[in-house]
Every structure is written in structure tokens, then in C-alpha cells.
């Protein structure tokens, strides 16, 4: 079973994502901001991170940069999952090294499709 | 005695008449396990025409079997489920096969037919891969012809406008930003990709095959609900459009085995079918 770390400051979004991911046979862990997510990755790196953009303490973008610089050998795939749906944001995420991008609102099919594209589903 | 119930929305008779109209126009049969969808699918049509029940609809259709109402009914009932890079491995094998065929006949421009292309994701997926191959290896861009029986699907395909949900199904984000523009909340295919695909209206059960031979013909998830006689005749049409040694690509649940001698499983490309050397049967122009 693959592990997905859901990083979002909204409890509701985390719950929705968890529900979908569990039906896709993922073990789900949660983090409320980028800092918590980084700690979680340093302790026990998941297969994939589903990452919100705007969060308190540490944004998704800052998390991604920190992750790239961290010494984690088996880096997780990173899938942004955000309401920032503009082209400039998407391009910036790709440039920073994101593997995929989910524009909110999303449904099960979208999530499944993107996880298949990055090779974890 | 049972009290009379409320007026039913659909009688079995009405569903049969509507099913017959769909089959006569497109060859598609409504499978028993999908009959329940008829009512849901037709609700917008009823609303647009100020009708309340399927029986009323059938009454109106009796007088105008070829008018815009009948067209709207047929369009609403066609299953147009599709996505970018549907069965991604298959789409990649098409490109691999195209490279092999091109290597055998250098200098000739390959031709690919996407039959039953729905709203366009299948031919655009191919066009993206071939464009990438053109850039990375100088591969000559094949001609891509995409057809469907449904005019409204073709109009959407030509416009190349996709909702946020459609654009996120199957399409990797890098390709999305390379080939699409974000306009008013929709994703619109860029002109340089759009011009790689020619869309045309074509009914597989009635029209002769497009002129000229194709090297690869995709007809995926279209034949599933044809009656077997119709399917056989469509295989003949597809065969008449395929160059000798050319390939036919079907959907995951479809096969030629036991259905036609016009194609046989390809030894080189798993899951694909090859047009046999024998004389192709003449394409039948009309099924009924
Ligand atoms: C389920 S979609 C498949 C789309 C695409 N080939 C794919 O696999 O994703 C089937 C398409 O076949 C079209 N179709 C159905 N009957 C047809 C016919 N007789 N001639 C041409 N197209 C037909 C429908 O309008 C629909 O767009």
C-alpha cells in the first residue's frame, strides 16, 4: 500500500482527500502546513505528497524548495492541489520541481488520474 | 385493485421507439443495463422542447423523424465518454507503430484516422505526441483525420475547449501548459496543435470510408454496442480505409476475433490488429 501525505490547512479538504485516497487504497497521513509536512517527510518519507499552496507557517512552495534541499534520499512525488489555477502559478510550480498539479475543486477521477501519471496509483 | 399511479415518465414502449431511432441513425444499441440512462440523458432535450414525458416526446417524433428534435435525441443518447491519453500505453504504442511504419516507407506521409473521436481528446493526444517527436527526432508529422457521427461533439472538438475536469483527466500538467491556454476558466487548445487535426462528420454505419488509405485506424470504444451484423459491416468499412499491412486499434474490451476476417492480431504490436493482405470486402454504404 502506498502512502500519501495530505498537506492542507483546511480540515475539510484533508477529510475529503483522505476519503478519496483511502478508496484508492492509499495509507493517508495529514499535515496542516508546510513545516509539519517537512517534519513528516524527514521522519518517514511518503510515496507522494498532495500539497496545498497557501498555508500558514510554511507555504507549499517553500515546502517544495526545502524538500528539494533536504537530504532525503527517496524523495516523494509532489502533486500540488490548490485553488491557484492561473497559468503563472502552474508554471512556477513546475519550475520548482512539482511532479503534477491538481486544480481545485477536484474529484476522485482527477486525483486518480494525476496519481497514475506520477506513477503511484 | 391497484389505484392508478401517477403518470409515468416513460413507458417501455417510448424507450423502445427512442432506442430504435438511435440504432437506425448510428447503429448504437441501448444495452439493457444502460436503459435507465435514457430518461436522465433526455431530460435537457425535453426541457428545451417544452415536453414533460418521453411519451410526449415519442408523439412529437412520430411527425418529424428527421428534424432537429430527432437530432437532439440522438446526440443526447450517444455515449461520449473519453479522456486525454485514454489507455495511455495504447496511445504510446500507436506512436511506436507509426515510427516503425514510417521507417519502412520513408518519404511517405503517414495517415491516421481516429474514428469515433468524440470531443477530440484522442486525436489531440496523438497530435501532442507526434509534435514532441517532430521536435526531438525530426519525425514527419502524420496527417490526422478525426471523425464522429455527432455534430455537437465535433463542434466541441474543433473548438478544442475543455472544462477544468476534462483537462485534468489523463493529461500531464506539462503537456497542459505547453498545448493549452487558460481562457475564462476553460482550457483551449493552441492553434499550432489544433491545425494538426482535421475533424469531419462521418457515420461509420452509413458513410463510405474517407477517401485514401490510412496507415493506422483507431476505432476505440465505438463498436461495443453495435449489433453483430452492423459491427461486421463496419469492420469492412474500416478495412477498406486501411492500407495493406496497416493497423487497427480497438478499445480495451473490443476485438476482431470471431467477428471479421478483414483483420488479424498483429504480431508486432500487442493488442493491435493488422489489415490482411487479402482482397478487402467492398465497404457497404448503407446498413439498412
Ligand atoms: C465512447 S466514445 C469513444 C471516444 C474515443 N474513441 C475514446 O475511446 O475515448 C464513442 C464515440 O463514437 C461515436 N459514434 C457512435 N456511433 C457512431 C457511428 N455510427 N459513426 C461514427 N461515430 C459514432 C459517438 O458519437 C462517440 O463520440
Amino acid at each position: 500500500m502506498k502512502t500519501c501525505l495530505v498537506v492542507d490547512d483546511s480540515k475539510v479538504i484533508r477529510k475529503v482527500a483522505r476519503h478519496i485516497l483511502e478508496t484508492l487504497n492509499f495509507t493517508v497521513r495529514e499535515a496542516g502546513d508546510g513545516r509539519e509536512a517537512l517534519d513528516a517527510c524527514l521522519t518517514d518519507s511518503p510515496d507522494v505528497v498532495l500539497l496545498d499552496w497557501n498555508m500558514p507557517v510554511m507555504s507549499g512552495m517553500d515546502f517544495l524548495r526545502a524538500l528539494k534541499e533536504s537530504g532525503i534520499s527517496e524523495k516523494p512525488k509532489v502533486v500540488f492541489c490548490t485553488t491557484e489555477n492561473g497559468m503563472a502559478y502552474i508554471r512556477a510550480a513546475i519550475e520548482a520541481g512539482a511532479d503534477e498539479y491538481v486544480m481545485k475543486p477536484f474529484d476522485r477521477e482527477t486525483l486518480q488520474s494525476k496519481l497514475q501519471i506520477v506513477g503511484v496509483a | 385493485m391497484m389505484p392508478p399511479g401517477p403518470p409515468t415518465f416513460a413507458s417501455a414502449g417510448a424507450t423502445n421507439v427512442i432506442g430504435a431511432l438511435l440504432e437506425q441513425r448510428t447503429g448504437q444499441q441501448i444495452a439493457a443495463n444502460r436503459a435507465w440512462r435514457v430518461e436522465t440523458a433526455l431530460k435537457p432535450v425535453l426541457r428545451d422542447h417544452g415536453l414533460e414525458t418521453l411519451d410526449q416526446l415519442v408523439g412529437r417524433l412520430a411527425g418529424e423523424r428527421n428534424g432537429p428534435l430527432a437530432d437532439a435525441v440522438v446526440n443526447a443518447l450517444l455515449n461520449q465518454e473519453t479522456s486525454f491519453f485514454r489507455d495511455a500505453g495504447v496511445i504510446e504504442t500507436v506512436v511506436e507503430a507509426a515510427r516503425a511504419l514510417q521507417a519502412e516507407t520513408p518519404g511517405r506521409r503517414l495517415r491516421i484516422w481516429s474514428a469515433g473521436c468524440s470531443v477530440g481528446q484522442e486525436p489531440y493526444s496523438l497530435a501532442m505526441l507526434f509534435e514532441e517527436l517532430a521536435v526531438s527526432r525530426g519525425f514527419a508529422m502524420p496527417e490526422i483525420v478525426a471523425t464522429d457521427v455527432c455534430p455537437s461533439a465535433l463542434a466541441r472538438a474543433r473548438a478544442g475547449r475543455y472544462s477544468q475536469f476534462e483537462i485534468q483527466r489523463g493529461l500531464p500538467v506539462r503537456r497542459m501548459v505547453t498545448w493549452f491556454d487558460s481562457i475564462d476558466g476553460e482550457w483551449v487548445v493552441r492553434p499550432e496543435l489544433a491545425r494538426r487535426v482535421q475533424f469531419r462528420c462521418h457515420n461509420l454505419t452509413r458513410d463510405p470510408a474517407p477517401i485514401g488509405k490510412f496507415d493506422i485506424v483507431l476505432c476505440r470504444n465505438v463498436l461495443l454496442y453495435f449489433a453483430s451484423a452492423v459491427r461486421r459491416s463496419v469492420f469492412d468499412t474500416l478495412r477498406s480505409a486501411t492500407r495493406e499491412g496497416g493497423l487497427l486499434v480497438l478499445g480495451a474490451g473490443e476485438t476482431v476475433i470471431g467477428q471479421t476476417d478483414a483483420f488479424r492480431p498483429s504480431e508486432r504490436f500487442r493488442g493491435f490488429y493488422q489489415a490482411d493482405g487479402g482482397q478487402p470486402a467492398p465497404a457497404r454504404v448503407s446498413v439498412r
Side-chain angles (χ1 to χ4, degrees):
Chain A
M1 224 148 117
K2 306 254 168 154
T3 308
C4 180
L5 177 67
V6 178
V7 191
D8 203 303
D9 55 341
S10 155
K11 222 173 154 178
V12 177
I13 301 276
R14 292 204 303 269
K15 196 172 160 193
V16 171
R18 168 184 284 278
H19 178 72
I20 295 176
L21 288 161
E22 284 177 350
T23 68
L24 294 172
N25 271 331
F26 278 86
T27 302
V28 179
R29 284 152 54 196
E30 297 181 23
D33 61 57
R35 180 74 248 169
E36 276 182 30
L38 197 59
D39 289 344
C41 288
L42 290 167
T43 326
D44 183 9
S45 189
D47 297 290
V48 59
V49 178
L50 198 64
L51 184 66
D52 188 18
W53 193 298
N54 290 308
M55 290 176 292
V57 189
M58 185 189 256
S59 74
M61 213 44 163
D62 289 339
F63 161 83
L64 182 55
R65 294 202 183 96
L67 180 75
K68 295 281 154 189
E69 281 160 22
S70 76
I72 301 175
S73 53
E74 296 262 313
K75 293 214 169 54
K77 299 283 181 189
V78 176
V79 178
F80 261 105
C81 183
T82 167
T83 47
E84 303 297 356
N85 294 349
M87 198 64 123
Y89 282 93
I90 301 173
R91 285 188 192 283
I94 295 173
E95 251 161 56
D99 297 287
E100 261 304 332
Y101 203 98
V102 172
M103 299 178 272
K104 286 178 186 163
F106 60 89
D107 62 1
R108 186 177 189 275
E109 280 188 356
T110 305
L111 213 50
Q112 182 173 25
S113 167
K114 293 293 185 175
L115 292 168
Q116 275 168 356
I117 290 172
V118 301
V120 294
Chain B
M1 253 199 27
M2 293 273 287
T8 53
F9 181 63
S11 66
T15 314
N16 288 343
V17 171
I18 289 164
L21 172 69
L22 177 70
E23 187 173 2
Q24 183 219 335
R25 290 282 198 93
T26 69
Q28 299 290 330
Q29 295 181 321
I30 297 176
N33 62 354
R34 286 166 71 235
W36 62 273
R37 288 188 63 239
V38 170
E39 294 193 19
T40 324
L42 288 177
K43 267 190 186 137
V45 177
L46 294 180
R47 198 186 49 227
D48 291 351
H49 291 80
L51 300 166
E52 273 169 21
T53 66
L54 288 194
D55 288 328
Q56 286 174 2
L57 174 68
V58 166
R60 183 82 75 80
L61 282 173
E64 38 178 308
R65 276 188 85 82
N66 290 310
L69 179 62
D71 292 347
V73 167
V74 170
N75 291 349
L77 289 177
L78 284 168
N79 168 3
Q80 296 184 323
E81 169 86 13
T82 188
S83 66
F84 288 101
F85 296 94
R86 183 173 190 173
D87 302 322
V90 173
I91 298 286
E92 275 156 27
T93 309
V94 170
V95 174
E96 196 188 306
R99 291 179 65 181
L101 294 178
Q102 184 76 85
E104 284 161 18
T105 51
R108 191 168 60 79
R109 189 174 182 210
L110 292 184
R111 299 185 76 224
I112 295 177
W113 178 18
S114 162
C117 66
S118 189
V119 293
Q121 286 92 327
E122 178 175 281
Y124 285 136
S125 300
L126 289 169
M128 284 182 243
L129 292 187
F130 283 117
E131 276 285 347
E132 289 168 14
L133 205 57
V135 171
S136 65
R137 294 175 188 261
F139 191 79
M141 191 70 195
E143 182 183 343
I144 302 174
V145 176
T147 63
D148 202 282
V149 71
C150 178
S152 57
L154 280 172
R156 285 203 54 211
R158 279 196 193 97
R161 293 183 88 94
Y162 298 98
S163 72
Q164 188 169 300
F165 284 106
E166 289 170 319
I167 202 75
Q168 300 202 91
R169 264 190 81 185
L171 183 64
V173 68
R174 281 176 184 74
R175 290 199 175 116
M176 183 183 86
V177 300
T178 306
W179 297 112
F180 293 83
D181 288 314
S182 165
I183 300 174
D184 300 333
E186 286 187 308
W187 292 83
V188 186
V189 67
R190 296 236 168 94
E192 56 270 33
L193 191 70
R195 73 192 170 94
R196 295 306 192 187
V197 183
Q198 302 165 40
F199 289 101
R200 295 183 205 153
C201 203
H202 180 269
N203 186 339
L204 283 162
T205 62
R206 290 188 179 185
D207 300 330
I211 293 167
K213 300 279 185 192
F214 292 89
D215 298 277
I216 303 177
V217 175
L218 293 92
C219 186
R220 301 193 306 155
N221 307 300
V222 182
L223 308 174
L224 226 50
Y225 298 106
F226 284 158
S228 56
V230 176
R231 201 179 297 140
R232 255 195 305 282
S233 133
V234 170
F235 276 129
D236 290 343
T237 303
L238 296 173
R239 174 63 185 93
S240 73
T242 313
R243 183 180 300 282
E244 211 162 287
L247 296 165
L248 172 68
V249 185
L250 299 178
E254 298 162 331
T255 180
V256 304
I257 295 165
Q259 322 236 6
T260 178
D261 297 327
F263 295 91
R264 60 186 162 76
S266 159
E267 279 155 26
R268 275 200 294 176
F269 303 102
R270 255 187 75 200
F272 287 18
Y273 301 97
Q274 188 171 330
D276 241 340
Q279 267 307 88
R284 291 216 341 244
V285 172
S286 175
V287 178
R288 280 158 199 274

